[in-house]
Amino acid sequence: MRMNLNSYKLSFSIAWVHLVSKPKQTIIAMLGVTFGIGMFIALVSLMTGLNDFTEEITMTSSPDIHIYHDITEKRSSILEQLNPQGLNWVHHQKPKNETLRLRNASQLIDLIRKDDRMIGVAPTLSSQVFYNYGSVQLNGLILGVEILEEDKLFDLQSKMKEGRLEDLLSYHEGIIMGSGIAKKLNIKKGDRVVITTPQGFTKTLKVVGIFQIGIGTVDNVRSYANISMVQTILQQDQAYITDINIKVKDRHQAKEIAKELQAKFIYKSEDWETANATMLTGSNVRNIITYAVSFTLLVVAGFGIYNILNMTIYNKMKDIAILKAMGFAGKDVRTIFMIQSLAIGLVGGLIGLLVGFILSYMIAQVPFDGGDIINLEHFPVNFKSKYYVIGIIFGVTTTAIAGYMPSRKAARIDPIEILRGQ
C-alpha cells in the first residue's frame, strides 16, 4: 500500500513538472476547456431560461386540460348511419345548427372534481365584445368564470395590478380587465365601461380590478366577469356553459387524463401539450441546437488537449525511456499523462464554470423590450446547479478521453529503441 502511495506521489510530481515546464501549452489547453465549458454554461442557461419562460407563459395562458364542444368535428350524416356500406349522395347539404353549449355541464364538473388527480376545475363561457369608453371602441373578449376556481388554475391573484379577485364576487356587475386593454381605454379601477356583443346587447360594467399576465395577446383583449353576468350578456340561461378548464396535479399526465375524459364524456378534451405543440416543438429544437453546439465546443477543446499531450510525449521521449529503464511500468507512465490530462480538465473546467456564471449573469442584465407582446424586462436566464454539474462532468470526461490515447502511446514506448537513438 505504501509502495502504491509512493508511486502515485511520484507520478503526481512528474506530472506537475511536465505541466509547469511548458506553461504556455498547459494554459492554452486549459483555456480550451474553459472556453468550451463557459460557453456551454452560458448557452444552456440562456436557452433553458427561454424555454422555462415559454413554458411558464404557456401554462399561465392555457389550462392543463380544456373540455369543449368541437362543432367543427366531422360527423356522419343520417344516411351514412342508416346505410353505412352504401353509396350515399347528398346535394346542397345545409350545415347543422349547433351551439357551443356543454350539456349537463354542472354534472360533468361535479364528476371531474371528485377525481383526486385534479387541483382545480373551472367552468367558463366567453364572448367577443366591443369595449366602449367614451368615443373609444375596441374589440376584445370577455370570459364568464367562477373567479376563485379560475385563480386555482392560473394564479390570477398574483397577477392583479389593481383591486382583488374577491371584489368581483361582491359586485355582480363588475369586470376585471387586462392591463393592455385598460391602458388603451385609459381606464382605472372604479371606472365604468360599456360592452356591446356582436348580437347588439349592451351592458355597463364597473371595473373592479386590473390584471397583467404578461402576454400581450391576453392582456390586450381579455377581461373576466361573473359567469352569471356573461350568461345575461349572451341572453342565455344559467345552465349555459361552453368550456371546462382543468388543472391537474401532474401536468405530464394531462395527455392521458384528457384521453380518458374524452372517451367518458364524448366532448373534445385537449391537453396543454397538444394545444401548444408548435411552441413546445420550438423549445425542443432550441435544446437540441444548444447541446449540439456545446458538445462541439467541448470536443474541439478535447482535440486541443490531445494534440498538446501528443507533443508533450514527443518532446519527452527520452524522459519516458529513462523512467522505464529505472523500473517504471507502462501503466505508471500512462498514469503520469492521465494525471496531466485530468488536471487540465479539472482546473480548466472549474474556471469555465466561473466564466459561464459571469457570462450568464451579464446576459441576465441585458434589457429586453417585449413591447406589447411579452412583459419582459431582461433576458430570462436559468441558474440551475444541475447544468454546472453536467458541465464539469462533461468537461473532465472529454479531457480524460482526449488524454487516454496519448498516455496509452507513451506506455507502449520501447525504452531500448529510444536510448539507442532509433
Side-chain angles (χ1 to χ4, degrees), residues 6 29 95 102 140 161 171 177 184 213 248-249 252 257 259 269 286 295 346 368 370 386 417 421:
N6 291 334
L102 294 176
K161 296 298 181 182
Y171 198 84
M177 304 191 71
K184 290 178 180 180
I213 289 180
V248 298
K249 292 180 179 178
H252 297 294
I257 297 174
K259 291 179 181 178
S269 184
R286 285 194 296 270
F295 175 77
L346 184 60
F368 180 86
K386 69 176 182 179
E417 292 183 1

Side-chain angles (χ1 to χ4, degrees), residues 250-297:
D250 184 0
R251 67 169 181 259
H252 297 294
Q253 294 182 352
K255 182 171 288 188
E256 293 300 321
I257 297 174
K259 291 179 181 178
E260 292 178 21
L261 296 177
Q262 182 163 327
K264 187 175 182 179
F265 301 135
I266 307 302
Y267 291 118
K268 180 72 173 180
S269 184
E270 188 175 61
D271 64 280
W272 68 276
E273 292 183 75
T274 302
N276 301 281
T278 302
M279 189 177 294
L280 294 175
T281 300
S283 297
N284 293 333
V285 170
R286 285 194 296 270
N287 280 334
I288 292 172
I289 293 174
T290 300
Y291 283 103
V293 172
S294 303
F295 175 77
T296 302
L297 290 172

Side-chain angles (χ1 to χ4, degrees), residues 1-12:
M1 181 70 179
R2 180 176 297 177
M3 289 182 64
N4 288 336
L5 183 60
N6 291 334
S7 176
Y8 278 117
K9 285 183 178 180
L10 184 58
S11 296
F12 272 102

Side-chain angles (χ1 to χ4, degrees), residues 26 30 54 72 81 102 128 202 208 243 269 304-305 319:
T26 302
M30 286 183 180
T54 301
T72 64
Q81 294 176 16
L102 294 176
Q128 296 290 331
T202 301
V208 297
D243 304 85
S269 184
I305 294 171
D319 293 350

Side-chain angles (χ1 to χ4, degrees), residues 156-168 175-176 188-190 207-211:
L156 293 178
Q157 187 65 60
S158 65
K159 300 172 178 62
M160 294 295 294
K161 296 298 181 182
E162 294 183 35
R164 302 177 307 147
L165 296 180
E166 291 77 5
D167 295 337
L168 188 62
I175 185 173
I176 297 176
K188 298 180 180 179
K189 179 188 174 185
V207 179
V208 297
I210 295 175
F211 70 90

Side-chain angles (χ1 to χ4, degrees), residues 182-369:
K183 183 178 180 180
K184 290 178 180 180
L185 294 171
N186 195 26
I187 283 179
K188 298 180 180 179
K189 179 188 174 185
D191 292 339
R192 293 186 178 272
V193 61
V194 179
I195 63 169
T196 305
T197 67
Q199 293 77 25
F201 186 89
T202 301
K203 186 72 175 178
T204 301
L205 301 176
K206 181 180 179 181
V207 179
V208 297
I210 295 175
F211 70 90
Q212 183 177 19
I213 289 180
I215 308 173
T217 53
V218 176
D219 295 335
N220 291 336
V221 298
R222 183 182 295 181
S223 294
Y224 291 103
N226 290 304
I227 196 167
S228 58
M229 174 51 61
V230 179
Q231 288 168 343
T232 301
I233 293 171
L234 295 176
Q235 299 177 299
Q236 298 289 342
D237 58 75
Q238 294 183 352
Y240 186 79
I241 300 294
T242 59
D243 304 85
I244 299 175
N245 293 328
I246 302 171
K247 184 178 181 63
V248 298
K249 292 180 179 178
D250 184 0
R251 67 169 181 259
H252 297 294
Q253 294 182 352
K255 182 171 288 188
E256 293 300 321
I257 297 174
K259 291 179 181 178
E260 292 178 21
L261 296 177
Q262 182 163 327
K264 187 175 182 179
F265 301 135
I266 307 302
Y267 291 118
K268 180 72 173 180
S269 184
E270 188 175 61
D271 64 280
W272 68 276
E273 292 183 75
T274 302
N276 301 281
T278 302
M279 189 177 294
L280 294 175
T281 300
S283 297
N284 293 333
V285 170
R286 285 194 296 270
N287 280 334
I288 292 172
I289 293 174
T290 300
Y291 283 103
V293 172
S294 303
F295 175 77
T296 302
L297 290 172
L298 291 176
V299 169
V300 170
F303 276 113
I305 294 171
Y306 173 81
N307 289 330
I308 287 172
L309 288 180
N310 256 338
M311 291 297 298
T312 302
I313 290 170
Y314 180 79
N315 294 328
K316 300 291 183 182
M317 285 287 193
K318 290 185 178 180
D319 293 350
I320 295 171
I322 293 172
L323 289 173
K324 282 198 161 187
M326 292 173 61
F328 276 73
K331 66 177 183 179
D332 296 323
V333 175
R334 184 168 62 245
T335 300
I336 291 171
F337 286 95
M338 283 300 296
I339 289 172
Q340 295 180 54
S341 176
L342 291 173
I344 291 171
L346 184 60
V347 175
L350 291 174
I351 299 174
L353 295 183
L354 179 61
V355 171
F357 177 81
I358 294 172
L359 288 174
S360 300
Y361 180 79
M362 292 173 64
I363 294 171
Q365 303 307 310
V366 174
F368 180 86
D369 184 12

